[in-house]
Amino acid sequence: MKTFQSLRLTLRYHDKLNIKFWDENAIRPEVRDKLLQIGYKWAEFAKIPLEAIKDIILVGGNANYNYTRFSDLDLHLVVDKSQIADCPELLDDYLRDKKKLWALIHDIKIYSHPVELYAQDENDPLPANQGVYSISDDQWILEPRRTEVDLSDPLLIRKVRAMVEKIDELIENEANDSDVLRKLQKRIRDMRASAIQQGGEFALENLVFKEIRNRGYLDKLSTHIKNLEDTNLSL
């Protein structure tokens, strides 16, 4: 079993925005042009009508001060979902599936950072206490604000250690119940969503989520579940 007593976190916090994408607080023109191109190409792939697109925004670490070398460019299409389909109860699943399929087909990066696509409804709240940049309008919707973040918090390190050890233990012991593993996946997602809603980007549980994602443990868990289900379905 791995130990993480002297764990060095991958999380970072900076004084300036990522200079790969920003010139001070202005997005680099070539980056903006490419993000617009990618956004509209994904809309075409996902069959999202142009009239349904209300904005294309950049959120996440690379629109804030907490980027790392692992940070994606989180590109969101803000859409009027009522103009996309007549089956709202199926639409979110459809868009998630299109997002996953796009990721399987494409490996698009800007200056070595992957571009992560997502479609959100125009009525969805914007992330609290984070930068949100309109790629469409070339201006900040919400400017990022620097804040004090303690990345040496022993509780944060303990929670990260507990989570990675739990995932390692399940995989190393060849856990063969995909339902148990999917419940763990859901618990991790719910933990993050609740943390962001209650405490924002720098809530403890969201930092735990980001750290285990940076370390590849979310991918490791997903791959194990996929391989297990493929094996169980094969003859």
Side-chain angles (χ1 to χ4, degrees):
M1 177 67 66
K2 301 179 182 65
T3 59
F4 295 85
Q5 211 57 45
S6 58
L7 185 67
R8 178 175 170 81
L9 298 180
T10 65
L11 300 170
R12 297 289 181 269
Y13 201 76
H14 306 270
D15 293 326
K16 296 182 179 180
L17 297 174
N18 194 336
I19 60 173
K20 291 181 178 180
F21 311 114
W22 303 92
D23 183 5
E24 296 297 335
N25 272 25
I27 197 166
R28 295 185 179 278
E30 72 278 11
V31 173
R32 176 178 178 259
D33 289 345
K34 190 57 67 174
L35 289 174
L36 280 174
Q37 181 183 352
I38 294 167
Y40 283 114
K41 192 67 177 177
W42 188 72
E44 178 185 343
F45 175 82
K47 295 182 171 52
I48 298 173
L50 292 180
E51 60 270 19
I53 301 173
K54 303 306 177 183
D55 203 350
I56 299 176
I57 62 176
L58 183 66
V59 297
N62 274 312
N64 290 278
Y65 299 106
N66 58 321
Y67 57 90
T68 72
R69 63 188 177 89
F70 303 101
S71 298
D72 297 333
L73 284 155
D74 294 307
L75 191 65
H76 290 201
L77 271 64
V78 181
V79 299
D80 178 355
K81 289 184 177 179
S82 68
Q83 296 188 45
I84 299 176
D86 294 328
C87 300
E89 67 276 9
L90 301 177
L91 182 57
D92 287 342
D93 287 341
Y94 166 80
L95 290 172
R96 276 193 294 268
D97 289 344
K98 281 293 186 179
K99 166 186 162 74
K100 292 176 184 177
L101 183 56
W102 172 272
L104 289 172
I105 297 172
H106 298 282
D107 182 21
I108 298 172
K109 297 179 181 178
I110 296 181
Y111 298 139
S112 78
H113 289 257
V115 179
E116 182 80 7
L117 279 302
Y118 182 75
Q120 70 176 66
D121 190 78
E122 60 180 339
N123 295 315
D124 289 348
L126 294 174
N129 303 318
Q130 296 184 51
V132 179
Y133 193 85
S134 171
I135 299 298
S136 299
D137 296 334
D138 197 12
Q139 64 181 9
W140 288 103
I141 298 173
L142 295 173
E143 290 199 38
R145 293 183 298 172
R146 297 201 77 260
T147 187
E148 293 298 321
V149 183
D150 183 8
L151 296 178
S152 62
D153 182 357
L155 180 58
L156 170 59
I157 294 173
R158 287 200 301 271
K159 282 182 172 288
V160 170
R161 182 171 61 241
M163 187 61 70
V164 297
E165 287 180 349
K166 183 176 185 64
I167 293 172
D168 276 335
E169 181 180 7
L170 285 171
I171 293 176
E172 289 169 7
N173 291 336
E174 299 182 348
N176 57 9
D177 188 340
S178 61
D179 287 340
V180 170
L181 298 173
R182 286 206 176 276
K183 285 179 181 177
L184 176 59
Q185 263 189 330
K186 184 177 185 304
R187 183 159 69 86
I188 293 171
R189 288 196 301 268
D190 291 347
M191 172 190 75
R192 184 198 194 192
S194 176
I196 290 176
Q197 184 177 20
Q198 295 180 26
E201 176 73 5
F202 302 108
L204 179 65
E205 289 79 3
N206 189 47
L207 295 178
V208 173
F209 176 91
K210 285 177 173 288
E211 181 65 26
I212 63 175
R213 181 190 62 190
N214 289 354
R215 291 176 173 274
Y217 273 83
L218 299 184
D219 288 341
K220 185 176 182 179
L221 182 60
S222 294
T223 298
H224 183 71
I225 292 172
K226 174 185 174 297
N227 291 340
L228 177 61
E229 291 180 342
D230 287 353
T231 298
N232 289 339
L233 290 170
S234 298
L235 184 63

